[in-house]
C-alpha cells in the first residue's frame, strides 16, 4: 500500500494554513511559494494541488534522484538532483514545484503536518494500492 | 591504477565557471609532454564566442599552411561553448571537435553529445587543445575534483570503445556509485587503419548500468586521435548542480527550459516521436517523399524500405527511459537497443547495448546498401561505434563500392572474394571486420570515396568520369543520407557546406521541393545564408540543434516564418543573455555565426580548399547519372524538359534527354552558387571580400593576409 495525501476540494475554504505550515517547516519562511502543497483559488471554489505519489517523475529523472520509499512516498535526493526540472514538466497533476531562487524542485512527502493545520479536514493521509493512480 | 606511469602532471587551481566561461583553455603537447593553461582573451569571446569558434581560433594559430592530418602540429581541439552544461534547456551538453581532416585536408567540425564536454568545462576549461604525437600509447586524465591533468601510459587496454569506455569508467570513478561522474573519449581499432573514423564520447547510463557512446562522426577525427597514440581522454567531475554554469539570470533560464520541457511533454507524441524512436522517425517520411537514399543514392523510394521504418526500430528500442545524452534533455532521442547479440565478428554471441541507430545510420548502413533487416543495421551500428568508424561515411563508401561491383569495376578477384551485390549483408560485415583488423579490401573501402575513385581508375582502369558522377563525395567527405537530386537548394546545402557535404548547415528539401517556399535563386540564396548561420550558432554555444525544430510550439504554423521556429529562436536569445549577461537579438545571433563561419571559410582557403572548384557536387547529387535512374522518374524529368527548358521530349532518346537535363541542372547549380556567394558577401570565386570581413569585424590581420592571396 502507498501512503499519500488525499485532497477534498469541496471542503477547502482556501485559508492557506496548510501552505503556511509547510513553508515554515521546510524553509522557515512565510513565503507560500516555498510550500509543497498549493491552494489555487478559483471563482467559487478552491483546488488543492499536491503530490499523489503516482511516480511519473521517478521515471523521467535522469540522475535517479527521485526514488520511492517503503511507504510508497516519492522522495527527492537533493545531492543527486541537477535541477533540470524534467520532473516538473512530466508531473501529470502539476504538483512538483519550483520557486524563485531555488535550484532543486520541491514536492510533498506526505509528512502530514498540514493535516493538523487544516480546519475542515480537506486534506487527509490515506493509503492506496501500488498501481492505483 | 595498474601498469600506469605518470608521464606528465599539471596541477591547476579550481575556480567556478562565471557566466558560462572559465576564461582559460588547456593546452597539451604529446611530443614534449608539456601541459599548460592559456588565458582566453576578450577578442576570443567577442569574435569567436566559444565552441567551434574557440576550436578554430586555437587551431589557426597552431598549424601551418602545409599542415596535414598526420603532422605533429595538427591538433584535436574540443570546446564546449558558454551555454554548454546548463541542465535547464534541452540539448545543452554538446562538445565540438575540430581537427585537420585526413579525408579533406581542411578543418572538420563535429558536434557531439555525452558527458565529456560539460564535465571538462566544469573542471575548469573552455577548450582542450591537443598537439604533438606521443611515442607510446597514452591516456589523458582530467581530474576536475582535484584540479590535476595527467598524461598516463596506457600499455594494456583494449582499444575498441564499448569495452574501453567501461573499463576506464570503472578505473577512474571513486566507487561503483560514482560511475556517472566519469566520461571517456575514445575511438577504436579501425581508426588505426582507415580515415572514415570517429570519436566516441561516453555517458554512464545509470539505469542500464552501461557506458553509452555518442559520436563525433564526420571527417576522420578518430584517425588523428589514434595517430597521436591517444587511447582515451578521461574526465572526472562530481560537482554538477543546477547552477554550475553560474548564469546571471537563473530564473529566466529555468523558466525558458521548463517551457520547452512542457512542449515536448505535450506535443512530441503528436509531432516527431523523438522520445520513442529518435531521428529514426524520418525513415518512412523520406521513403514516402522519394528521398531515402537507395543503391548509392540512385533511388529514393522502395517498398522494401518499410522494413526499416521507425515502427520496426521501436520494437528494438527500450521504451520509456529518459534517454538524453546530457542531463535535462527531455527530448531524450538517443535510443538504445539493450541485450543485443551480434551474429558476426569478435563480439559474436556477447550481449551488448547499442546506441541508435539514428536516421543517418539507417540510411547509410541500411537502405543505401539494400540491407533491409533492422537487426543487421543495429549490428553494423554497433561495430561502427566500437571500431571507431563513422556510420555515414561507412554507408556511403560501401554503397559506392557496391555500385562499382554492379558495373564490373570490382569483382571477387579484386575484393578478395567478397560478393558486393546489393543487400549482401554478410559481405558488408566482412568489410567492417576487415577495417577493424586492418586487412583486406575493407581497408580500401575505408579510405573513403575520394581515395577509392583514384584507386579504381588507376588500378582497374575504371572510367574516371563515371566514378566522379557516382562517387558521393565533395571536398573528400562523403555525403550524408538524403537525396538532393530534385532539390536545387539542398544541392547547395550539401555541397557549399564548409567542411564537406553534411546536412548540419542546411536541410531545405521540404522548403524547396515539397512546400515551394523558396522558388527563386534569391530565395534559395537567402535560405542558404540564414540557415547555415543559424545552425552554426549551436556549435558556438555547445548546444544541440534538435530541440530547435524537432519539437515546435503548437502555434508555430501560424507564425510569419514557421521554418525558423521564431519562438525557439527567441528562447535561444533569452537563454544566451540569461547565462552570459550579454545583450543579444536574433540579428546579432546571426552575426556571431557569420564571424566564425567566414573565419572557417578563410581557414579552408589557407589549407588549400574552399574555392569555387571545391564546391562542385558529383552529378549523382544533382540529377540522373544512368538511364535506369532517368527512367525511374521519366514522367518528372520529361515534364521538366518541357516546362523549364521548352524542349519537347517526344522522339528523343533517353540519352539525349539525359544530356539536355544535365546541361540545364548543372547550369542551374552554377547560377545558385552565384546567388549564394553574393548573399554571403563573397566574390564569384567564393572568396570573402575585405569589405565584408570589415563589416563583420573579422578583418583580423592574419585573416586579411590569407584572403589577399586569393583576390
Amino acid at each position: 500500500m502507498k501512503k499519500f495525501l488525499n485532497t477534498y476540494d469541496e471542503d477547502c475554504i482556501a485559508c492557506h494554513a496548510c501552505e503556511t505550515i509547510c513553508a515554515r517547516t521546510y524553509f522557515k519562511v512565510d513565503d507560500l511559494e516555498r510550500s509543497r502543497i498549493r491552494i489555487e483559488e478559483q471563482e467559487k471554489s478552491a483546488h488543492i494541488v499536491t503530490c499523489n505519489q503516482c511516480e511519473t517523475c521517478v521515471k523521467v529523472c535522469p540522475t535517479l534522484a527521485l526514488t520511492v520509499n517503503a511507504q510508497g512516498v516519492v522522495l527527492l535526493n537533493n545531492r543527486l538532483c541537477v535541477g533540470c526540472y524534467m520532473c516538473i514538466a512530466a508531473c501529470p497533476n502539476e504538483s512538483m514545484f519550483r520557486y524563485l531562487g531555488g535550484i532543486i524542485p520541491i514536492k510533498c512527502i506526505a509528512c502530514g503536518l498540514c493535516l493538523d493545520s487544516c480546519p475542515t479536514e480537506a486534506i487527509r493521509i490515506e493509503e492506496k494500492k501500488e498501481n492505483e493512480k | 591504477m595498474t601498469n600506469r606511469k605518470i608521464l606528465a602532471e599539471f596541477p591547476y587551481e579550481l575556480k567556478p565557471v562565471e557566466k558560462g566561461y572559465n576564461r582559460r583553455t588547456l593546452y597539451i603537447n604529446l611530443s614534449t609532454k608539456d601541459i599548460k593553461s592559456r588565458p582566453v582573451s576578450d577578442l576570443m569571446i567577442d569574435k569567436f564566442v566559444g565552441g567551434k569558434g574557440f576550436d578554430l581560433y586555437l587551431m589557426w594559430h597552431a598549424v601551418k599552411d602545409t599542415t596535414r592530418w598526420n603532422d605533429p602540429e595538427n591538433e584535436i581541439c574540443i570546446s564546449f561553448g558558454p551555454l554548454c552544461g546548463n541542465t535547464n534547456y534541452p540539448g545543452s551538453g554538446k562538445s565540438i571537435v575540430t581537427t585537420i581532416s585526413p579525408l579533406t585536408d581542411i578543418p572538420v567540425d563535429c558536434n557531439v553529445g555525452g558527458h565529456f564536454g560539460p564535465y571538462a568545462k566544469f573542471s575548469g576549461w573552455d577548450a582542450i587543445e591537443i598537439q604533438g604525437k606521443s611515442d607510446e600509447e597514452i591516456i589523458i586524465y582530467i581530474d576536475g575534483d582535484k584540479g590535476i591533468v595527467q598524461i598516463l601510459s596506457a600499455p594494456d587496454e583494449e582499444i575498441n570503445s564499448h569495452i574501453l569506455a567501461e573499463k576506464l569508467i570503472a578505473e577512474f570513478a571513486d566507487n561503483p556509485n560514482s560511475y556517472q561522474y566519469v566520461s571517456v573519449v575514445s575511438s577504436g581499432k579501425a581508426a588505426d587503419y582507415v580515415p572514415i573514423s570517429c570519436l566516441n564520447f561516453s555517458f554512464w547510463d545509470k539505469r542500464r548500468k552501461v557506458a553509452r557512446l555518442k559520436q563525433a562522426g564526420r571527417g576522420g577525427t578518430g584517425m588523428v586521435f589514434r595517430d597521436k597514440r591517444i587511447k582515451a581522454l578521461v574526465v572526472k567531475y562530481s560537482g554538477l548542480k543546477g547552477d554550475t554554469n553560474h548564469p546571471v539570470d537563473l530564473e529566466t533560464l529555468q523558466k525558458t527550459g521548463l517551457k520547452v520541457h512542457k512542449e515536448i511533454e505535450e506535443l512530441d507524441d503528436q509531432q516527431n516521436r523523438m522520445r520513442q524512436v529518435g531521428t529514426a522517425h524520418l525513415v518512412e517520411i523520406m521513403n514516402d517523399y522519394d528521398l531515402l537514399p537507395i543503391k548509392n543514392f540512385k533511388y529514393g523510394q522502395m517498398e522494401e524500405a518499410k522494413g526499416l521504418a521507425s515502427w520496426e526500430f521501436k520494437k528494438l528500442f527500450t521504451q520509456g527511459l529518459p534517454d538524453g545524452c546530457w542531463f535535462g534533455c527531455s527530448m531524450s532521442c538517443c535510443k538504445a537497443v539493450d541485450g543485443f547479440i551480434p551474429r558476426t565478428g569478435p563480439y559474436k554471441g556477447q550481449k551488448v547495448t547499442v546506441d541508435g541507430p539514428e536516421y543517418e545510420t539507417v540510411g547509410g548502413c541500411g537502405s543505401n546498401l539494400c540491407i533491409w533487416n533492422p537487426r543487421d543495421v543495429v549490428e553494423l551500428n554497433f561495430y561502427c561505434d566500437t571500431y571507431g568508424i563513422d556510420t555515414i561515411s561507412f554507408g556511403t563508401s560501401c554503397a559506392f563500392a557496391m555500385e562499382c561491383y554492379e558495373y564490373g569495376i570490382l569483382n571477387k578477384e579484386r575484393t578478395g572474394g567478397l560478393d558486393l551485390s546489393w543487400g549482401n549483408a554478410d559481405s558488408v560485415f566482412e568489410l567492417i571486420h576487415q577495417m577493424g583488423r586492418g586487412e583486406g579490401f575493407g581497408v580500401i573501402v575505408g579510405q573513403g570515396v575520394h581515395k577509392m575513385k583514384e584507386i579504381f581508375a588507376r588500378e582497374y582502369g575504371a572510367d574516371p568520369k563515371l566514378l566522379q558522377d557516382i562517387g558521393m563525395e565533395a571536398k573528400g567527405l562523403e555525403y550524408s543520407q538524403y537525396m538532393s537530386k530534385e532539390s536545387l537548394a539542398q544541392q547547395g546545402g550539401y555541397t557549399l557546406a564548409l567542411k564537406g557535404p553534411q546536412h548540419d548547415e542546411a536541410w531545405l528539401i521540404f522548403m524547396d521541393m515539397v512546400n515551394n517556399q523558396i522558388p527563386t535563386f534569391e530565395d534559395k540564396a537567402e535560405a542558404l545564408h540564414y540557415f547555415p548561420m543559424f545552425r552554426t550558432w549551436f556549435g558556438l554555444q555547445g548546444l544541440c540543434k534538435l530541440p530547435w525544430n524537432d519539437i515546435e510550439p503548437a502555434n508555430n504554423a501560424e507564425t510569419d516564418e514557421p521554418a525558423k521556429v521564431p519562438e525557439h529562436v527567441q528562447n535561444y536569445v533569452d537563454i544566451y543573455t540569461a547565462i552570459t549577461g550579454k545583450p543579444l537579438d536574433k540579428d546579432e545571433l546571426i552575426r556571431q555565426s557569420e564571424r566564425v563561419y567566414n573565419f572557417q571559410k578563410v581557414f579552408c582557403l589557407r589549407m588549400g580548399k574552399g574555392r569555387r572548384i571545391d564546391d562542385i557536387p558529383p552529378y549523382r547529387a544533382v540529377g540522373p547519372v544512368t538511364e535506369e535512374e532517368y527512367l525511374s522518374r521519366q514522367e518528372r524529368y520529361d515534364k521538366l524538359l518541357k516546362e523549364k527548358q521548352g524542349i519537347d521530349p517526344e522522339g528523343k532518346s533517353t540519352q539525349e534527354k539525359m544530356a539536355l537535363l544535365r546541361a540545364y541542372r548543372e547550369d542551374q547549380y552554377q547560377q545558385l552558387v552565384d546567388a549564394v556567394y553574393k548573399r554571403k558577401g563573397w566574390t564569384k570565386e567564393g572568396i570573402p571580400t575585405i569589405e565584408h570581413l570589415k563589416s563583420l569585424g573579422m578583418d583580423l590581420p592574419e585573416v586579411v593576409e590569407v584572403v589577399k592571396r586569393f583576390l
Side-chain angles (χ1 to χ4, degrees), chain B residues 74-225:
Chain B
N74 188 21
E75 294 194 329
I76 292 174
C77 288
I78 308 176
S79 179
F80 324 113
L83 274 51
C84 175
N86 85 75
T87 57
N88 312 94
Y89 200 87
S92 293
K94 292 301 194 107
S95 306
I96 292 78
V97 184
T98 63
T99 193
I100 302 296
S101 160
L103 288 165
T104 65
D105 296 330
I106 53 176
V108 68
D109 57 279
C110 305
N111 180 314
V112 56
H115 291 178
F116 183 85
Y119 285 174
K121 173 174 167 176
F122 295 141
S123 293
W125 308 106
D126 288 332
I128 300 171
E129 187 186 2
I130 304 170
Q131 197 175 38
K133 287 191 193 191
S134 173
D135 50 12
E136 63 179 296
E137 294 282 352
I138 57 101
I139 285 170
I140 295 170
Y141 174 50
I142 301 168
D143 187 331
D145 291 339
K146 291 185 181 153
I148 297 170
V149 180
Q150 292 173 325
I151 302 173
L152 302 168
S153 68
D156 299 328
E157 301 79 4
E158 174 78 51
I159 285 175
N160 289 335
S161 272
H162 82 289
I163 292 175
L164 179 60
E166 293 198 355
K167 183 186 179 304
L168 295 178
I169 287 169
E171 178 179 331
F172 286 91
D174 293 341
N175 59 63
N177 292 324
S178 304
Y179 284 4
Q180 74 269 26
Y181 304 129
V182 179
S183 177
V184 174
V185 178
S186 56
S187 188
K189 276 304 290 178
D192 286 342
Y193 312 112
V194 299
I196 59 164
S197 57
C198 70
L199 292 175
N200 291 295
F201 282 53
S202 83
F203 69 96
W204 181 255
D205 187 325
K206 285 185 84 172
R207 283 180 170 81
R208 293 179 170 89
K209 297 185 171 53
V210 294
R212 305 278 304 278
L213 303 173
K214 305 306 294 178
Q215 289 72 39
R218 306 307 322 269
T221 52
M223 195 176 212
V224 181
F225 192 82

Side-chain angles (χ1 to χ4, degrees), chain B residues 345-609:
Chain B
Y347 307 112
K348 178 180 172 178
Q350 297 179 16
K351 216 176 250 192
V352 294
T353 289
V354 187
D355 264 83
E358 299 191 42
Y359 166 77
E360 297 291 336
T361 303
V362 180
C365 299
S367 63
N368 224 350
L369 312 180
C370 293
I371 291 175
W372 307 118
N373 182 339
R375 296 189 73 84
D376 284 344
V377 176
V378 171
E379 184 157 339
L380 286 169
N381 195 159
F382 166 70
Y383 276 113
C384 275
D385 292 352
T386 199
Y387 286 154
I389 298 170
D390 168 23
T391 58
I392 294 176
S393 280
F394 177 81
T396 302
S397 298
C398 287
F400 174 73
M402 287 172 123
E403 190 171 356
C404 288
Y405 192 86
E406 184 182 19
Y407 299 153
I409 296 166
L410 297 176
N411 51 42
K412 277 192 179 177
E413 198 182 318
R414 290 170 180 172
T415 63
L418 291 178
D419 172 2
L420 293 184
S421 302
W422 297 113
N424 191 337
D426 289 344
S427 291
V428 177
F429 281 124
E430 185 51 28
L431 286 177
I432 202 168
H433 297 314
Q434 287 178 352
M435 290 181 202
R437 297 193 298 265
E439 62 183 38
F441 189 69
V443 174
I444 304 288
V445 176
Q447 300 309 305
V449 173
H450 186 79
K451 292 268 167 50
M452 273 193 283
K453 289 194 300 190
E454 288 172 12
I455 295 167
F456 297 168
R458 188 180 64 234
E459 304 288 328
Y460 308 138
D463 174 9
K465 189 173 171 310
L466 174 68
L467 297 177
Q468 172 58 31
D469 282 352
I470 66 170
M472 288 296 284
E473 63 89 12
K475 304 182 178 79
L477 187 70
E478 289 72 25
Y479 276 68
S480 69
Q481 309 299 333
Y482 294 100
M483 295 277 284
S484 58
K485 235 183 255 188
E486 317 304 346
S487 165
L488 179 59
Q490 189 55 30
Q491 291 160 25
Y494 263 137
T495 319
L496 302 177
L498 294 179
K499 66 168 165 269
Q502 169 74 350
H503 55 282
D504 63 349
E505 279 203 14
W507 198 91
L508 301 172
I509 296 178
F510 276 13
M511 277 183 88
D512 190 26
M513 258 177 72
V514 180
N515 302 326
N516 199 27
Q517 290 166 316
I518 44 175
T520 68
F521 286 115
E522 286 68 30
D523 295 333
K524 291 183 196 342
E526 183 57 35
L528 284 166
H529 166 68
Y530 178 81
F531 288 102
M533 294 313 143
F534 184 70
R535 285 163 171 258
T536 291
W537 196 77
F538 293 108
L540 307 184
Q541 306 296 345
L543 297 178
C544 173
K545 164 262 161 197
L546 298 181
W548 160 53
N549 69 349
D550 277 281
I551 186 76
E552 292 177 353
N555 65 352
N556 189 55
E558 295 148 30
T559 59
D560 291 345
E561 297 179 291
K564 292 183 180 176
V565 198
E567 185 179 322
H568 285 183
V569 174
Q570 189 59 45
N571 287 351
Y572 289 115
V573 167
D574 292 343
I575 65 167
Y576 174 84
T577 300
I579 289 173
T580 65
K582 291 170 181 282
L584 189 76
D585 59 28
K586 62 183 184 177
D587 298 322
E588 179 56 23
L589 180 157
I590 295 298
R591 287 176 75 77
Q592 282 189 334
S593 293
E594 268 191 286
R595 292 186 192 105
V596 175
Y597 191 91
N598 279 274
F599 183 81
Q600 186 170 356
K601 172 75 173 176
V602 178
F603 202 164
C604 292
L605 288 165
R606 182 185 162 209
M607 304 312 289
K609 281 189 181 154

Side-chain angles (χ1 to χ4, degrees), chain A residues 6-12 46 48 120-124 126:
Chain A
N6 206 359
T7 56
Y8 297 84
D9 285 355
E10 63 276 19
D11 294 331
C12 178
I48 309 166
T120 63
E121 294 187 13
I123 320 161
R124 301 169 206 166
E126 296 180 4

Side-chain angles (χ1 to χ4, degrees), chain B residues 325-344:
Chain B
C325 69
W326 174 240
F327 301 116
C329 190
S330 45
M331 184 152 266
S332 295
C333 74
C334 60
K335 310 322 296 177
V337 181
D338 291 305
F340 184 79
I341 301 175
R343 67 179 178 88
T344 71

Side-chain angles (χ1 to χ4, degrees), chain B residues 292-313:
Chain B
L292 185 70
I294 293 169
K295 292 194 178 180
N296 193 29
F297 301 86
K298 273 191 208 178
Y299 310 116
Q301 194 171 54
M302 250 173 119
E303 183 63 22
E304 291 89 330
K306 288 182 182 161
L308 299 178
S310 65
W311 52 84
E312 298 296 336
F313 285 103

